[in-house]
């Protein structure tokens, strides 16, 4: 570093956010940093010519007369507006948006030199109240002539002196209203930020509330003028889609957009944009609104498409346009409804309707009644009863994957008796095993894996994930300057890194290196909604924020399920037995997808009559193995169920293989009832073997000893010892002592007898699963240590961490139950080897005893 030339040291200082630490390491660096040329060009290089003077005035300790002269002579922009604000702020007058010391840290002689140098640049500098250049800028630019604004920019050289100035929000609005102001603003040092591009074009196409005339020619002229003055400005696909969404309410903007498309002045073809926009509504609740239906029909008329998804959308607009078609029409009204349905299809040009079209309409989440469609298939398409049942079967099977189609499934299953067919199809298609999951080495695939059934469509995270891909915008199209002038900003003068100024350059470099400029993504929002969102967005983070469609104007319209939907998993629980193959499959999918709503439904409430196992969907060790493979934490409902005596099964085959056919179940129930009666008559009043068992261990034991398993010997009677010395004549006391001794012996044998409960079986197998997880974790850590020299810590999976914590709770619950059953002197088992990794075990070092001589 000491051998570097001064020019290299200058460049190093320019790249540092705060060069103080560097210049204090060497006398040579300190000497170089005191050069006025280096100090002046530090601000020019870091903040550009437009903001250099603003940031230099905030560093009063490094600002000198020579630095000010070099800044002015090197082209740092100095406007009359910044001089007025600096003088007001220095002499304790009310400043606009600056709440920090700023120029007050400059010594008075240096600030006097600043006023002397800058006063020569202008003939007159008004300093009175409401005489600064800010007060000359009209508040309502829409009602101000462009000549008045041009005079402010041309004669007074007005320009906001910092990107943090709230007045910077007014210039893009002015340029959107009158693009001819752009040359005058650029002459004063203004450079249009590409992040304001979408906002400027939105303002150009905005519908004027007081002007009801045709503005098509005016909008086209403004767009062409702005593109001529600044070639970087172009209309993005994002704004084009927003204008298309107002095809019926903002006709002037829509006609101007089509005119620009016909003349080839857009960077894209409008037809594919319209087709992509229409595809977004195939699973969007807004397709049920009349406004959206009319807009989509207008777009389809102007830009016909042969895309299959677009065809489905247009069929939905026809079927959902009349709310009465969604219900079951009366037989007398069916011909009239079918004639109306056919007429609308013919008007749009969607005839003939195929069997695939009917299937796509019926599986849509927002179509719940199919009476009219099935009647249309019978009368207009000539389908017989068998074909209609096959169509209904295919629709019902596909609806199993659509979590919100419970009402459709219920209606089809009742009308066509599809319960058995659905169960067989689910077993063949949706059974899951470890081989069906992504490889455990592919952590990204495991993290994003989602089971086909039992998706939680009410989960807000899922809603954001599904909707963000359609209407999120890039940083270059997401910032909005409107509304900044209404709020004040606290400028932190100690912060030297204004990151948002360099984001623009990085985006431009990325676009230059890529295939072309970023044309933006397409969303469902209207132009007015996005302008309103621009104006209401928080000003602090606006320049760095993205648009999340879930926080947009029409949140409910972007949901992919109807308002009064019925979950498929809930309907399955109502129709099928808890220990049926159908419920086993749905339980597995709900566990993988962590659908808490369905897990609450499938598992019984805490501690309420667990003996009635018919209301429970069993949980198995296979569920935990699947979650271990994916590295996901099990839902707390599973552990909660284990605590309250859930029966242990390795997999669903354990209880499905023991299912008794319906014809034999009644006989078995009668025979068990007779055997229980005989057993009650012949059994002696002694201790039952199953008395020490906590919870059912097998299905037969559950049914046979539901009541006897809860009985246990009363310790007060068994452990009572008489201290009366028996007399030779007192035979009753001697006999009583013998019985007490027998009861004491039996109780001691009960303590020694070990009966494994369901909870203990769960603990044993989950502990083995934890050992396997620890082995995988250590092996991964060893591979990391061998591959690299760094000791970067390998994080445990969520399943591993959850199992460590929950096993402790289960063992504590088991210990409490054994203490209640056998007494407080039950030995506690040591599980320290299974709980934690050896890295976290606290080994207490033994202290040597000090020997005092």
């Amino acid at each position: 570093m000491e051998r570097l030339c001064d020019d290299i040291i200058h460049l190093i200082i320019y790249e540092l956010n705060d060069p103080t630490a560097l210049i204090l390491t060497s006398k040579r660096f300190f000497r170089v940093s005191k050069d006025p040329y280096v100090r002046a060009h530090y601000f020019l290089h870091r903040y550009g010519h437009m903001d250099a003077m603003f940031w230099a005035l905030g560093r009063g300790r490094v600002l000198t007369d020579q630095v000010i002269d070099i800044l002015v002579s090197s082209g740092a922009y100095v406007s009359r507006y910044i001089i007025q604000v600096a003088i007001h702020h220095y002499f304790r007058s009310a400043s606009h948006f600056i709440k920090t010391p700023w120029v007050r840290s400059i010594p008075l002689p240096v600030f006097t030199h600043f006023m002397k140098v800058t006063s020569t640049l202008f003939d007159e500098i008004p300093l009175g109240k409401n005489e600064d250049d800010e007060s000359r800028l009209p508040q309502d630019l829409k009602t101000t002539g462009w000549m008045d604004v041009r005079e402010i920019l041309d004669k007074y050289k007005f320009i906001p002196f910092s990107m943090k100035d709230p007045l910077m929000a007014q210039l893009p609005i002015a340029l959107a209203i009158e693009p001819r102001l752009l040359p005058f603003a650029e002459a004063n040092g203004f450079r249009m930020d590409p992040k304001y591009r979408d906002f400027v074009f939105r303002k150009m196409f905005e519908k004027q509330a007081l002007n009801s005339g045709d503005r098509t020619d005016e909008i086209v002229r403004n767009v062409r003028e702005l593109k001529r003055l600044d070639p970087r400005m172009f209309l993005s696909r994002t704004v084009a889609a927003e204008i298309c969404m107002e095809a019926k309410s903002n006709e002037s903007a829509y006609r101007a957009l089509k005119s620009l498309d016909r003349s080839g002045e857009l960077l894209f073809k409008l037809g594919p944009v319209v087709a992509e926009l229409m595809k977004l509504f195939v699973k969007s609740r807004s397709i049920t609104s009349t406004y959206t239906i009319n807009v989509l029909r207008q777009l389809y008329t102007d830009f016909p498409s042969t895309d299959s998804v677009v065809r489905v959308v247009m069929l939905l607009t026809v079927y959902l346009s009349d709310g009465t078609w969604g219900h079951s029409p009366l037989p007398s009204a069916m011909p009239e409804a079918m004639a109306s349905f056919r007429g609308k299809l013919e008007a749009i040009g969607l005839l003939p309707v195929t069997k695939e079209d009917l299937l796509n309409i019926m599986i849509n989440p927002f179509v719940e009644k199919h009476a009219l469609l099935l009647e249309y298939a019978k009368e207009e398409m000539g389908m017989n009863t068998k074909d209609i049942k096959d169509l209904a079967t295919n629709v019902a099977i596909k609806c199993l994957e659509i979590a919100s189609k419970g009402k459709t499934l219920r209606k089809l299953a009742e009308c066509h008796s599809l319960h058995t067919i659905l169960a067989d199809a689910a077993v063949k298609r949706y059974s899951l095993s470890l081989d069906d999951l992504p490889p455990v080495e592919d952590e990204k695939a495991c993290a994003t894996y989602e089971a086909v059934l039992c998706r939680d469509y009410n989960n807000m995270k899922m809603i954001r994930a599904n909707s963000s891909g359609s209407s999120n915008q890039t940083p270059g199209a997401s910032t909005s300057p409107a509304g900044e002038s209404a709020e004040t900003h606290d400028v932190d003068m100690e912060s030297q890194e204004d990151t948002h100024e360099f984001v623009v350059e990085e985006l431009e470099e990325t676009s230059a290196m890529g295939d072309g400029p970023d044309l933006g993504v397409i969303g469902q929002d209207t132009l007015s909604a996005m302008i309103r969102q621009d104006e209401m967005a928080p000003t602090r983070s606006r320049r760095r924020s993205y648009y999340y469609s879930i926080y947009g104007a029409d949140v409910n319209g972007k949901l992919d399920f109807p308002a009064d939907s019925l979950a498929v998993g809930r309907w399955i629980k109502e129709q099928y037995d808890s220990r049926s193959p159908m419920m086993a499959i749905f339980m597995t999918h709900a566990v993988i997808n962590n659908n808490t709503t369905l897990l609450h439904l499938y598992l019984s409430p805490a501690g309420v009559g667990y003996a009635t196992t018919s209301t429970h969907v069993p949980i198995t060790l296979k569920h935990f193995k699947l979650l271990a493979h994916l590295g996901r934490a099990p839902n707390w409902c599973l552990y909660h169920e284990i605590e309250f005596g859930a029966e242990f099964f390795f997999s669903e085959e354990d209880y499905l293989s023991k299912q008794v056919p319906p014809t034999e179940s009644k006989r078995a129930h009668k025979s068990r009832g007779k055997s229980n009666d005989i057993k009650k008559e012949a059994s002696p009043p002694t201790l039952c073997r199953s008395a020490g068992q906590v919870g059912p261990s097998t299905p037969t034991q559950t049914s046979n000893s539901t009541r006897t398993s809860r009985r246990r010997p009363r310790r007060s009677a068994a452990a009572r010892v008489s201290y009366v010395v028996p007399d030779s004549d007192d035979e009753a006391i001697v006999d009583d002592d013998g019985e007490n001794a027998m009861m004491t012996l039996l109780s001691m044998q009960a303590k020694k007898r070990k009966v494994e409960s369901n909870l203990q079986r769960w603990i044993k197998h989950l502990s083995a699963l934890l050992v396997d997880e620890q082995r995988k974790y250590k092996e991964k850590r060893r591979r990391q240590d061998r591959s690299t020299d760094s000791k970067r810590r390998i994080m445990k999976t969520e399943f591993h961490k959850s199992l460590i914590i929950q096993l402790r709770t289960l063992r504590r619950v088991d210990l409490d139950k054994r203490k209640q059953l056998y007494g407080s002197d039950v030995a506690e088992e040591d599980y320290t080897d299974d709980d934690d990794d050896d890295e976290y075990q606290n080994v207490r070092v033994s202290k040597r005893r000090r020997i005092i001589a």
Side-chain angles (χ1 to χ4, degrees):
M1 292 290 289
E2 293 292 341
R3 291 180 292 180
L4 296 176
C5 62
D6 290 349
D7 294 338
I8 301 299
I9 297 177
H10 295 172
L11 296 177
I12 295 175
I13 292 176
Y14 296 161
E15 294 297 330
L16 296 177
N17 180 30
D18 187 1
T20 304
L22 176 64
I23 63 179
L24 293 179
T25 59
S26 172
K27 292 183 178 180
R28 184 188 175 197
F29 294 163
F30 183 72
R31 176 180 55 81
V32 171
S33 66
K34 295 185 67 176
D35 186 359
Y37 176 86
V38 175
R39 294 186 176 183
H41 281 266
Y42 172 82
F43 295 107
L44 291 171
H45 180 83
R46 294 292 294 176
Y47 305 107
H49 289 75
M50 185 175 178
D51 289 357
M53 184 61 71
F54 170 74
W55 289 98
L57 292 176
R59 288 297 187 93
R61 292 182 297 176
V62 300
L63 199 63
T64 61
D65 297 350
Q66 295 81 5
V67 174
I68 294 175
D69 295 337
I70 295 174
L71 284 172
V72 175
S73 61
S74 298
Y77 180 74
V78 180
S79 65
R80 195 171 70 168
Y81 175 51
I82 192 175
I83 300 173
Q84 294 169 339
V85 174
I87 293 175
H88 290 170
H89 189 267
Y90 190 84
F91 294 103
R92 309 289 175 171
S93 179
S95 59
H96 303 271
F97 65 97
I98 302 172
K99 306 301 179 183
T100 55
W102 195 37
V103 296
R104 294 170 186 169
S105 60
I106 303 175
L108 182 59
V110 178
F111 190 75
T112 303
H113 181 75
F114 168 76
M115 292 188 295
K116 179 180 178 181
V117 172
T118 55
S119 62
T120 59
L121 302 177
F122 302 94
D123 297 336
E124 181 184 3
I125 303 178
L127 299 177
K129 185 177 181 180
N130 296 330
E131 293 183 359
D132 55 357
D133 292 347
E134 179 190 8
S135 60
R136 297 177 181 272
L137 190 68
Q139 296 295 329
D140 189 4
L141 293 174
K142 296 181 181 180
T143 59
T144 305
W146 85 279
M147 297 294 294
D148 298 335
V149 182
R150 188 188 68 172
E151 181 182 3
I152 299 173
L153 297 176
D154 187 18
K155 182 178 180 180
Y156 301 106
K157 306 298 180 183
F158 174 80
I159 197 73
F161 55 82
S162 172
M163 296 299 294
K164 292 181 177 293
D165 192 344
L167 291 178
M168 186 62 73
Q170 299 295 325
L171 283 181
I173 298 177
L175 296 176
I177 299 172
E178 184 51 67
R180 287 176 290 180
L181 296 173
L182 183 60
F184 301 97
E186 290 183 343
N188 296 339
F190 176 77
R191 181 173 177 267
M192 173 63 75
D193 191 341
K195 289 191 171 189
Y196 291 153
R197 179 172 51 234
D198 282 0
F199 176 76
V200 169
F201 281 102
R202 286 184 184 122
K203 282 294 185 179
M204 282 186 178
F205 287 86
E206 184 183 13
K207 182 179 181 180
Q208 303 294 333
L210 302 178
N211 186 7
S212 59
D214 188 7
R215 298 179 53 248
T216 304
D217 297 337
E218 178 186 352
I219 294 174
V220 173
R221 183 178 61 254
N222 290 341
V223 171
R224 291 172 178 171
E225 184 70 15
L226 183 59
K227 290 180 62 178
R228 184 185 66 82
L229 297 173
D230 191 348
R232 299 174 303 156
M233 304 298 290
F234 60 88
L235 185 67
S236 65
R237 299 196 315 161
T238 304
V239 180
E242 296 166 2
I243 298 171
C244 291
M245 287 302 300
E246 293 189 351
K248 303 294 289 185
S249 59
N250 192 359
E251 297 181 1
S252 297
Y254 181 61
R255 284 195 294 266
L257 181 64
K258 291 192 296 182
S259 177
L260 293 172
D261 178 60
R262 287 192 298 267
S263 61
E265 299 182 59
L266 301 178
L267 299 182
F268 50 86
K269 293 294 183 181
L270 191 58
V273 172
V274 172
E276 188 174 348
L277 172 64
M278 296 178 67
K279 291 180 184 179
L280 299 178
F281 293 91
V282 70
K283 290 184 179 180
S284 176
R285 188 184 294 180
S286 58
I287 198 174
T288 59
S289 66
T290 305
Y291 175 81
T292 304
I293 290 175
N294 294 333
V295 170
L296 293 178
R297 289 183 180 178
Q298 180 67 43
L299 295 177
Y300 186 77
T301 303
D302 296 338
F303 301 93
S305 176
T306 58
D307 190 276
S308 59
V309 181
V310 175
R311 177 177 174 83
V312 173
V313 172
M314 296 311 301
L315 289 172
L316 290 173
T317 59
V318 174
Y319 188 74
L320 298 174
S321 60
D322 193 344
T324 58
W325 293 350
H327 304 283
S328 299
L330 297 175
S332 58
M334 185 64 72
E336 181 181 356
M338 288 182 57
S340 177
F341 182 61
R342 180 182 176 83
K344 291 188 177 182
L345 291 175
E346 186 176 3
I348 303 178
L350 298 176
L351 292 178
V353 178
T354 63
K355 184 177 179 181
E356 184 179 359
D357 292 336
L358 292 179
L359 178 65
N360 292 329
I361 296 175
M362 294 172 72
I363 64 175
N364 188 269
F366 303 98
V367 177
E368 297 178 344
K369 302 296 180 64
H370 313 91
L372 178 64
L373 296 175
L374 295 179
E375 187 67 21
Y376 182 88
K378 178 181 178 181
E379 298 295 335
E380 299 291 336
M381 300 175 61
M383 296 177 62
N384 54 28
T385 306
K386 181 178 181 301
D387 295 336
I388 292 178
K389 184 173 182 180
D390 292 341
L391 176 62
T393 302
N394 294 333
V395 171
I397 293 175
K398 289 184 176 296
C399 287
L400 291 176
E401 302 179 9
I402 307 174
S404 60
K405 294 285 286 183
K407 291 184 178 180
T408 302
L409 270 177
R410 179 173 60 188
K411 188 69 175 179
L412 292 176
E414 292 176 356
C415 295
H416 302 280
S417 302
L418 302 177
H419 296 83
T420 305
I421 298 177
L422 291 176
D424 296 339
V427 173
K428 293 179 181 179
R429 297 189 180 193
Y430 306 117
S431 297
L432 285 179
S433 63
L434 292 176
D435 298 334
D436 300 324
L437 301 180
V440 69
E441 295 80 10
D442 193 351
E443 297 182 0
K444 184 176 181 180
C446 291
T448 58
Y449 178 79
E450 185 181 22
V452 179
L453 306 178
C454 297
R455 293 187 177 96
D456 191 1
Y457 59 89
N458 281 314
N459 192 348
M460 294 303 295
K461 293 183 179 179
M462 298 296 299
I463 296 174
R464 295 190 187 102
N466 294 335
S467 59
S468 61
S470 61
S471 60
N472 279 3
Q473 298 184 14
T474 58
S478 62
T479 52
S480 58
E484 290 189 11
S485 58
E487 300 185 19
T488 59
H489 295 252
D490 297 332
V491 181
D492 186 6
M493 296 303 301
E494 299 299 328
S495 174
Q496 291 295 311
E497 185 66 27
D498 195 8
T499 56
H500 66 265
E501 298 181 12
F502 303 98
V503 174
V504 179
E505 300 177 1
E506 294 175 2
L507 289 173
E508 292 177 351
E509 293 175 0
T510 304
S511 300
M513 294 174 60
D515 298 336
D518 186 7
L519 299 179
V521 295
I522 298 175
Q524 305 177 25
D525 299 290
T526 62
L527 185 68
S528 302
M530 294 307 297
I531 292 176
R532 184 167 60 251
Q533 182 170 329
D534 285 340
E535 296 172 349
M536 296 177 62
T539 58
R540 268 298 184 188
S541 59
R542 180 182 297 118
R543 291 181 54 83
R544 305 179 182 89
S545 63
Y546 292 80
Y547 284 141
Y548 291 98
S549 59
I550 186 61
Y551 299 117
D554 186 14
V555 178
N556 294 329
K558 297 172 185 175
L559 300 179
D560 58 353
F561 59 92
D564 55 346
S565 61
L566 173 65
V568 173
R570 180 178 293 274
W571 178 80
I572 294 294
K573 180 66 169 61
E574 297 173 356
Q575 300 298 320
Y576 293 88
D577 185 71
S578 299
R579 298 201 173 193
S580 62
M582 189 73 159
M583 284 307 308
I585 293 174
F586 269 77
M587 181 66 180
T588 301
H589 286 245
V591 169
I592 292 178
N593 292 335
N594 195 26
N595 193 328
T596 306
T597 304
L598 289 182
L599 289 177
H600 272 290
L601 179 66
Y602 293 166
L603 302 176
S604 65
V608 179
Y610 190 83
T612 58
T613 56
S614 60
T615 61
H616 296 259
V617 181
I619 58 177
T620 64
L621 187 64
K622 176 184 174 181
H623 296 152
F624 289 89
K625 290 183 178 180
L626 293 173
L627 294 175
H629 184 93
L630 297 173
R632 301 178 184 178
N635 192 283
W636 66 271
C637 297
L638 303 182
Y639 294 114
H640 199 261
E641 190 76 357
I642 292 174
E643 290 183 18
F644 285 92
E647 195 170 354
F648 177 82
F649 298 104
F650 286 99
S651 64
E652 59 270 16
E653 285 80 6
D654 290 355
Y655 61 86
L656 292 178
S657 60
K658 298 178 182 180
Q659 292 293 323
V660 182
T663 56
E664 298 179 3
S665 60
K666 296 181 179 180
R667 301 176 184 176
H669 179 72
K670 292 180 180 180
S671 61
R672 283 196 300 267
K674 294 180 180 180
S675 61
N676 289 340
D677 294 340
I678 297 173
K679 188 175 181 179
K680 288 180 181 179
E681 295 176 0
S683 58
T686 57
L687 210 72
C688 181
R689 180 176 178 84
S690 62
Q693 184 173 352
V694 180
S697 59
T698 61
T700 55
Q701 289 178 352
T702 303
S703 58
N704 294 338
S705 59
T706 302
R707 298 180 60 183
T708 57
S709 61
R710 296 191 176 186
R711 294 182 180 179
R712 59 183 178 85
R714 302 179 63 179
R715 293 183 53 80
S716 59
R720 186 177 59 188
V721 181
S722 175
Y723 294 96
V724 180
V725 179
D727 194 5
S728 58
D729 296 335
D730 197 351
E731 297 178 357
I733 296 178
V734 175
D735 294 339
D736 187 57
D737 271 346
E739 293 182 3
N740 290 336
M742 180 60 68
M743 294 299 296
T744 304
L745 180 60
L746 290 176
S747 63
M748 293 175 63
Q749 292 178 355
K751 289 183 180 181
K752 295 179 180 180
R753 185 183 301 119
K754 293 184 178 180
V755 178
E756 189 178 38
S757 64
N758 285 302
L759 179 58
Q760 292 170 346
R761 294 187 68 189
W762 277 111
I763 293 174
K764 180 178 69 175
H765 291 284
L766 290 180
S767 299
L769 198 58
L770 176 60
V771 171
D772 187 52
E773 288 296 310
Q774 290 175 346
R775 179 186 57 78
K776 294 178 183 178
Y777 169 73
K778 293 179 181 179
E779 180 62 26
K780 189 185 299 184
R781 194 172 58 183
R782 293 192 196 99
R783 289 197 303 266
Q784 177 69 19
D785 295 340
R786 287 194 300 264
S787 61
T788 59
D789 297 333
S790 62
K791 297 296 182 181
R792 185 173 62 89
R793 182 178 177 184
I794 301 298
M795 300 300 296
K796 297 178 181 178
T797 63
E798 295 298 325
F799 178 84
H800 190 178
K801 293 185 287 187
S802 173
L803 201 57
I804 290 175
I805 298 174
Q806 296 297 334
L807 265 179
R808 294 171 182 167
T809 304
L810 295 178
R811 287 164 179 163
R812 184 166 59 249
V813 172
D814 176 62
L815 179 61
D816 294 340
K817 288 186 177 182
R818 287 190 289 115
K819 285 183 178 181
Q820 293 178 2
L821 185 61
Y822 301 127
S824 59
D825 55 345
V826 175
E828 299 184 12
E829 300 182 18
D830 185 14
Y831 298 99
T832 55
D833 294 339
D834 297 337
D835 282 351
D836 296 318
D837 196 80
D838 53 356
E839 180 182 355
Y840 304 103
Q841 290 182 3
N842 297 324
V843 180
R844 184 174 181 179
V845 181
S846 59
K847 297 182 180 180
R848 295 182 60 183
R849 181 176 298 179
R850 297 179 59 185
I851 302 176
I852 302 177

